[in-house]
Amino acid sequence: MMVKHAFYQQNNGHLSYSPPKYLTPIAKTCWRKVVPFLEATNRVQRIDSMLVEQYCVQYQRISKCL
């Protein structure tokens, strides 16, 4: 089965405002705060979502340490 659109072309090339389901609640909160800011800059694309996800996971890890 072929994918209809390449990953970076999904959602018109924009990041999804809803976080991935497998993130923890803290990481999801971070996602909901960071993505609108990034989308407002018009400098990120859907292909950058892995970097945003990693940032949110690292934020969650740091917050657990404090």
Side-chain angles (χ1 to χ4, degrees):
M1 182 175 183
M2 293 289 293
V3 176
K4 195 171 188 178
H5 295 287
F7 178 73
Y8 68 91
Q9 293 174 334
Q10 294 174 7
N11 201 25
N12 291 327
H14 296 282
L15 293 171
S16 172
Y17 282 92
S18 55
K21 293 181 181 186
Y22 51 83
L23 290 179
T24 64
I26 294 172
K28 285 181 181 181
T29 300
C30 180
W31 181 281
R32 289 184 190 108
K33 289 180 181 180
V34 170
V35 168
F37 171 76
L38 293 173
E39 282 293 318
T41 66
N42 290 324
R43 296 183 132 202
V44 295
Q45 297 178 354
R46 173 90 178 154
I47 199 165
D48 298 323
S49 65
M50 184 61 91
L51 296 173
V52 176
E53 180 182 332
Q54 288 176 357
Y55 173 81
C56 293
V57 169
Q58 294 305 319
Y59 177 85
Q60 177 259 324
R61 289 180 179 169
I62 290 171
S63 68
K64 279 188 164 186
C65 293
L66 299 177

